[in-house]
Amino acid sequence: MSMTRSAPSSDVAEAAHRLAKLALDEGDTRQAEWAASQGLLAAPGDEALYRDRMLAAQQASNTSAIKQIMNELCEAVEANNPCDQLDLSTVELFEKLTGKGPRPHSRARNCSSQGSR
């Protein structure tokens, strides 16, 4: 459920995503986090940038940050059930990095226990 972007915010978000990917490839987790965070200023709720932040946290061995980032994304897009409201690639990345389904809100169910995804 990536939010629709206007042209300028789309350009900023895309540039931030590319910079974050380059930083991740170099193992520079701080630069990747910074780039993704700057992109989110222009395009709040952009799931690709939140995925970049999750990957940076994973590279930095910070599992608790991955969970916090998912919570922030759910708040940004007002997702009560991430399994139904977020892009499948975002949910799958979260599950891969944490070993569990996203449950940032008490009303959300574990994605792995749902029949269809």
Side-chain angles (χ1 to χ4, degrees), residues 69-99:
I69 292 163
M70 179 58 92
N71 285 337
E72 292 171 14
L73 170 58
C74 289
E75 288 177 18
V77 299
E78 298 178 353
N80 290 321
N81 187 349
C83 305
D84 293 337
Q85 296 172 275
L86 299 179
D87 289 340
L88 182 59
S89 58
T90 302
V91 174
E92 288 177 340
L93 177 64
F94 181 84
E95 289 176 343
K96 176 184 172 187
L97 298 179
T98 64

Side-chain angles (χ1 to χ4, degrees), residues 15-108:
H17 176 61
R18 279 188 258 147
L19 180 57
K21 286 183 74 162
L22 288 170
L24 288 168
D25 288 345
E26 294 296 319
D28 189 345
T29 59
R30 291 170 70 175
Q31 181 69 27
E33 170 66 30
W34 179 85
S37 295
Q38 296 307 299
L40 287 168
L41 294 174
D46 185 288
E47 289 188 41
L49 295 170
Y50 279 98
R51 288 190 298 269
D52 292 336
R53 291 184 62 212
M54 285 187 227
L55 289 168
Q58 185 267 336
Q59 277 191 17
S61 300
N62 190 347
T63 304
S64 63
I66 297 168
K67 295 172 186 174
Q68 179 59 39
I69 292 163
M70 179 58 92
N71 285 337
E72 292 171 14
L73 170 58
C74 289
E75 288 177 18
V77 299
E78 298 178 353
N80 290 321
N81 187 349
C83 305
D84 293 337
Q85 296 172 275
L86 299 179
D87 289 340
L88 182 59
S89 58
T90 302
V91 174
E92 288 177 340
L93 177 64
F94 181 84
E95 289 176 343
K96 176 184 172 187
L97 298 179
T98 64
K100 57 182 87 170
R103 292 180 290 140
H105 299 288
S106 60
R107 289 181 286 185

